[in-house]
């Protein structure tokens, strides 16, 4: 595996020509860009704050949605008097997990288009068959 590195505006950019996976070399789809240890303190603080801020927004959004469902202020396609709010919360989380799984599958299908799957035909037969479908 050969690696080329050069410095650009304080950032380290690494381009790998091959990636090792289970002893098989695969061409890298895109150069990998990493931030060197010389990134500013402000940048690191901004990232830490954005992680906390986005987590707080996620918790707040989940609280608002679950509160609205339990107070029956949502508008499901069925008569609300015949269902318990706990069932609706369960349906909400089940559909949220389903959408997350579909999004992950879609991203993996798009991301694996550039990879030659032939070397994995015998080591991962089910994954190979699935990748041949798309």
């Amino acid at each position: 595996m050969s690696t080329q590195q050069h410095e650009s505006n304080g950032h380290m950019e690494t381009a790998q020509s091959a990636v090792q996976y289970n002893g098989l070399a695969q061409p890298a789809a895109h150069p990998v860009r990493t931030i060197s240890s010389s990134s500013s303190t402000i940048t690191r603080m901004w990232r830490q704050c954005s992680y906390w801020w986005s987590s707080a927004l996620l918790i707040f959004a989940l609280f608002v949605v679950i509160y609205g469902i339990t107070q029956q202020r949502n508008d499901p396609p069925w008569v609300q008097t015949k269902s318990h709010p706990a069932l609706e919360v369960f349906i909400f989380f089940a559909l949220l997990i389903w959408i997350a799984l579909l999004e992950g599958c879609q991203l993996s299908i798009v991301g694996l288009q550039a990879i030659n799957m032939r070397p994995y035909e015998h080591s991962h037969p089910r994954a190979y068959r699935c990748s041949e479908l798309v």
Side-chain angles (χ1 to χ4, degrees):
M1 175 172 18
S2 67
T3 303
Q4 299 172 350
Q5 294 180 349
H6 62 24
E7 193 98 12
S8 169
N9 296 333
H11 297 294
M12 183 67 71
E13 203 168 308
T14 304
Q16 296 179 343
S17 62
V19 177
Q20 287 292 114
Y21 183 73
N22 285 343
L24 302 170
Q26 291 291 322
H30 301 287
V32 178
R33 186 167 190 218
T34 59
I35 296 177
S36 66
S37 60
S38 67
S39 63
S40 69
T41 306
I42 295 172
T43 304
R44 280 186 254 133
M45 286 175 44
W46 173 258
R47 288 194 179 134
Q48 288 295 322
C49 288
S50 67
Y51 295 149
W52 285 103
W53 178 248
S54 62
S55 298
L57 283 176
L58 173 68
I59 292 168
F60 175 72
L62 284 174
F63 174 78
V64 168
V65 169
I66 293 171
Y67 179 77
I69 291 172
T70 57
Q71 296 299 311
Q72 296 184 342
R73 295 185 183 188
N74 56 342
D75 190 19
W78 55 83
V79 180
Q80 263 186 326
T81 57
K82 295 184 179 184
S83 68
H84 196 272
L87 175 67
E88 295 177 15
V89 170
F90 174 77
I91 291 171
F92 168 73
F93 278 109
L95 291 176
L96 192 64
I97 291 169
W98 180 251
I99 290 171
L101 289 172
L102 288 177
E103 182 69 19
C105 290
Q106 184 266 338
L107 287 173
S108 66
I109 289 170
V110 170
L112 290 175
Q113 285 179 349
I115 303 295
N116 179 15
M117 298 303 287
R118 198 64 146 162
Y120 307 109
E121 182 177 10
H122 300 294
S123 62
H124 301 85
R126 186 170 44 171
Y128 177 75
R129 286 191 309 268
C130 289
S131 68
E132 288 297 308
L133 292 174
V134 291

